[in-house]
Amino acid sequence: MDIMELVEQSKDAATVKRVFGEPIQHGDVVVIPVARVAQGGGGGQGQGKDAKGEEGGGSGGGFGFSATPAGVYVLKNGDALWRPAVDVNRIVIGGQIVAVVLLLTLRAIFKKWRRRR
């Protein structure tokens, strides 16, 4: 794949429609979904001679794209409200980390308390 072709494909992937979804209307309420979009790409090329003196070659390219829900805009009665998306997995992992730190701290306190007795 040519590097310029990769650049063109990356431009097509980063459009406004990836960030803001199609508006959804129900009665007098309009909901517009929003996503966090991240992308990256890279490429390389190389030529030279190897240890045996033979002609070398190479090329490469890659592209990554990620989209995660951020929330929605709710349009109602002329007001725009932001409703963030809740990532339950992040909340659970955060709670688990806090619990582990708390248990390790309590363990250290009890060990010191036992040594003093």
Side-chain angles (χ1 to χ4, degrees):
M1 175 178 281
D2 186 22
I3 291 179
M4 293 309 294
E5 185 179 336
L6 181 67
V7 170
E8 289 300 319
Q9 286 182 359
S10 70
K11 286 181 185 177
D12 292 340
T15 63
V16 174
K17 288 187 177 185
R18 301 273 187 195
V19 176
F20 296 101
E22 293 294 323
I24 302 165
Q25 186 167 3
H26 184 71
D28 62 341
V29 178
V30 178
V31 177
I32 303 172
V34 181
R36 285 185 194 95
V37 177
Q39 70 176 10
Q45 222 170 0
Q47 290 185 4
K49 295 188 178 188
D50 60 8
K52 296 179 182 178
E54 296 176 5
E55 196 66 33
S59 66
F63 175 71
F65 180 80
S66 169
T68 57
V72 295
Y73 282 109
V74 179
L75 307 175
K76 183 178 181 181
N77 299 329
D79 292 330
L81 301 171
W82 171 250
R83 301 284 186 217
V86 177
D87 188 358
V88 178
N89 291 333
R90 181 177 278 177
I91 294 170
V92 169
I93 290 172
Q96 290 173 345
I97 291 171
V98 168
V100 167
V101 169
L102 177 67
L103 290 173
L104 290 174
T105 303
L106 289 174
R107 178 177 162 229
I109 291 171
F110 283 129
K111 276 187 171 183
K112 284 189 175 190
W113 182 70
R114 283 184 184 169
R115 288 181 188 162
R116 289 184 180 178
R117 289 180 94 193

